[in-house]
Amino acid sequence: MENSSDKGQFQRKMQTRHVVMLSLGGVIGTGLFLSSGYTIQQAGPLGTILSYLIGALVVYLVMLCLGELSVHMPETGAFHSYAAKYIGPATGFTVAWLYWLTWTVALGSEFTAAGLLMQRWFPSVNVWIWSALFALMIFLFNAFTVKLFAESEFWFSLVKVMTIIIFIILGGAAMFGIIPMADAEPAPFFSNITASGWFPYGATAILMTMLAVNFAFSGTELIGIAAGETENPEKNIPKAIHTTLWRLIIFFIGTIVILSALLPMSDASVLESPFVAVMERVGVPYAADIMNFVILTAILSAANSGLYASSRMLWSLADKKTISPWFARLTKRGVPFNALVLSMAGGALALLSSIIAPGTVYITLVSISGLAVVVVWMSISVSQYMFRRQYLREGHDVKDLVYRTPLYPIVPIVSFVLCLASCIGIAFDPTQRIALYCGIPFIILCYIVYYWTDRTKKKRGLTS
């Protein structure tokens, strides 16, 4: 599997700390630092906490499925391979392109956002100069060795994680009056959380925010992609999955509780980061500058993870001979350089479409990528269900699996149904409905392209 090229092979250089931080890096981004206030305003504090808990449950179930697959078959570009093997090659092809598109679209928006953030400190320098510099930096982090990528991602993610921990400690202390508020306000305790009633906008608001929450948790599945480049995957992958999940739950739920307790619901949706508003209330000096730096780190970390994920997906497609073998070539240091270049070009085109056609091309890309993550999670659940069935049918014993998904078949079925529910929920939200209008035709197009190219190959006498 690993040696797919005459030049080099993937190197198992990632340790547990790298894989955990890669996953956290993909998840903790602008969604938490900027959009969390909007979510609180939409569903109310308790509704938001509930939707994040349900979202965490969905992710946990999907990761339990991915754990069994990626430990048994630690492949680079993992879930595309699993879908191709256990659901069908056309589904594997579609999943890979959906996932590739998710991250390349994200690259475009992340480089723009990073350039805009630099305007705070360097208002006279053009945004695109910063965007280009950051794009070059992220490309270089990925282009040399997987070790350099993993190490850069580790430190990027560490900045975010430390910020969230400090934020939760300071916010908790202010909440209970251990440290005084900046404007001598009394300690709020939990009064703001229930000030507008338990669920001010009803249960449907929770369903609507759940969709956004699912997207906020996307990135955890990066653990599966990195399995082929992880040291001792049998031990490190399950460890990374469990460590990542409990950290995510603590970070997300802890952050939402602190934001809800220290910000009245009406103030939560302002455009300024809710983190800045809370830190200013607690009296942290230079709060806006500190958060600007942290959000910049978060964006670059997500871009770093995204370029890694999209290049490995292209490599995986080429390795399965569904696209040109040129993309399967590896450098001597085990980097799929050609796949990396195309992924970066895809990010540049997404960036361009956000400037030239934000209301048409770009909104279509964003909508497809929003739906794509949930579709990928559904494919992981189905792949694990089919894998276990086949494994038992072939006469193997479940006890021989190094890592087993518990409560089979309940876990894959429930995770699939919950993901499907959030897709159906999109149809009832007019602002998110475009994801279905764009996503479903794109999925159909992927299947058509696969079958058409497959038939063409067979006509030429080649086996796919």
Side-chain angles (χ1 to χ4, degrees):
M1 186 295 295
E2 301 295 359
N3 195 0
S4 72
S5 119
D6 52 349
K7 274 192 167 185
Q9 58 182 12
F10 281 117
Q11 298 177 352
R12 294 194 181 276
K13 295 284 188 188
M14 287 207 220
Q15 297 153 13
T16 309
R17 69 182 178 96
H18 292 133
V19 183
V20 168
M21 284 302 193
L22 166 66
S23 188
L24 289 174
V27 181
I28 301 171
T30 48
L32 182 63
F33 288 119
L34 296 174
S35 315
S36 44
Y38 170 78
T39 315
I40 293 168
Q41 211 265 335
Q42 288 293 300
L46 281 172
T48 303
I49 291 166
L50 193 62
S51 57
Y52 270 99
L53 282 170
I54 297 167
L57 172 68
V58 174
V59 176
Y60 186 60
L61 296 176
V62 172
M63 290 305 108
L64 288 175
C65 294
L66 183 60
E68 180 171 303
L69 291 164
S70 55
V71 169
H72 186 70
M73 296 163 284
E75 291 190 35
T76 297
F79 32 82
H80 150 246
S81 306
Y82 309 146
K85 193 169 181 180
Y86 297 107
I87 307 172
T91 304
F93 180 80
T94 305
V95 162
W97 280 116
L98 278 169
Y99 201 68
W100 182 81
L101 188 73
T102 297
W103 283 110
T104 43
V105 170
L107 278 177
S109 55
E110 277 147 8
F111 292 137
T112 314
L116 288 167
L117 285 171
M118 293 303 287
Q119 292 273 286
R120 178 179 178 86
W121 298 311
F122 303 97
S124 56
V125 180
N126 196 307
V127 171
W128 307 115
I129 293 171
W130 289 116
S131 296
L133 283 171
F134 288 133
L136 178 66
M137 180 178 83
I138 295 300
F139 181 78
L140 293 175
F141 280 153
N142 278 266
F144 292 107
T145 63
V146 73
K147 187 87 172 38
L148 176 64
F149 157 75
E151 210 55 54
S152 63
E153 189 52 44
F154 176 81
W155 292 106
F156 272 147
S157 295
L158 196 64
V159 172
K160 296 188 287 193
V161 169
M162 292 311 295
T163 305
I164 292 170
I165 292 168
I166 293 164
F167 175 80
I168 291 171
I169 293 167
L170 280 179
M175 208 173 130
F176 295 109
I178 298 164
I179 55 173
M181 302 285 272
D183 46 8
E185 278 180 58
F189 291 92
F190 293 100
S191 58
N192 280 330
I193 292 180
T194 52
S196 309
W198 287 82
F199 300 110
Y201 303 117
T204 49
I206 297 170
L207 178 68
M208 295 312 168
T209 51
M210 242 211 78
L211 309 172
V213 166
N214 269 352
F215 304 144
F217 276 120
S218 64
T220 7
E221 69 292 324
L222 282 165
I223 292 172
I225 288 186
E229 292 168 271
T230 304
E231 284 178 7
N232 193 358
E234 299 81 12
K235 181 169 144 272
N236 287 337
I237 295 294
K239 198 169 160 191
I241 285 172
H242 288 296
T243 311
T244 303
L245 285 161
W246 69 254
R247 283 185 193 178
L248 280 179
I249 292 164
I250 292 168
F251 294 160
F252 276 86
I253 304 298
T255 300
I256 297 297
V257 170
I258 299 295
L259 287 175
S260 305
L262 295 178
L263 283 182
M265 196 173 134
S266 54
D267 295 0
S269 68
V270 286
L271 284 175
E272 179 192 33
S273 166
F275 276 73
V276 176
V278 166
M279 285 164 97
E280 282 175 346
R281 281 194 179 191
V282 175
V284 176
Y286 307 109
D289 284 311
I290 292 167
M291 281 316 298
N292 203 54
F293 172 74
V294 172
I295 294 164
L296 179 65
T297 311
I299 287 169
L300 294 176
S301 162
N304 205 22
S305 300
L307 185 58
Y308 173 82
S310 51
S311 64
R312 277 10 178 221
M313 265 302 154
L314 274 186
W315 174 87
S316 187
L317 278 166
D319 186 53
K320 294 276 178 288
K321 301 186 171 53
T322 44
I323 60 170
S324 166
W326 188 72
F327 294 108
R329 286 185 193 165
L330 298 173
T331 64
K332 283 177 185 152
R333 294 184 173 183
V335 174
F337 191 77
N338 298 341
L340 201 67
V341 171
L342 185 68
S343 297
M344 199 67 192
L349 287 173
L351 184 67
L352 211 60
S353 74
S354 72
I355 310 155
I356 297 165
T360 48
V361 180
Y362 187 66
I363 192 78
T364 306
L365 292 174
V366 169
S367 303
I368 295 169
S369 70
L371 181 69
V373 174
V374 184
V375 173
V376 166
W377 288 358
M378 287 161 78
S379 81
I380 292 168
S381 305
V382 175
S383 297
Q384 191 274 327
Y385 179 81
M386 304 296 277
F387 159 71
R388 180 77 75 89
R389 265 182 49 175
Q390 188 177 316
Y391 189 77
L392 294 172
R393 225 180 11 244
E394 288 168 356
H396 299 292
D397 192 333
V398 177
K399 291 188 185 118
D400 295 336
L401 288 169
V402 179
Y403 179 84
R404 293 188 290 280
T405 302
L407 301 173
Y408 177 87
I410 296 166
V411 167
I413 291 169
V414 172
S415 63
F416 180 84
V417 169
L418 287 172
C419 288
L420 185 64
S422 69
C423 287
I424 293 165
I426 293 172
F428 297 97
D429 183 359
T431 57
Q432 298 188 77
R433 214 172 282 155
I434 185 171
L436 293 177
Y437 296 152
C438 303
I440 292 169
F442 181 79
I443 290 168
I444 293 166
L445 178 68
C446 286
Y447 275 95
I448 292 167
V449 168
Y450 176 81
Y451 286 118
W452 179 73
T453 51
D454 194 47
R455 268 185 61 186
T456 312
K457 276 183 197 166
K458 282 175 180 165
K459 274 184 184 169
R460 287 186 193 148
L462 295 168
T463 53
S464 66

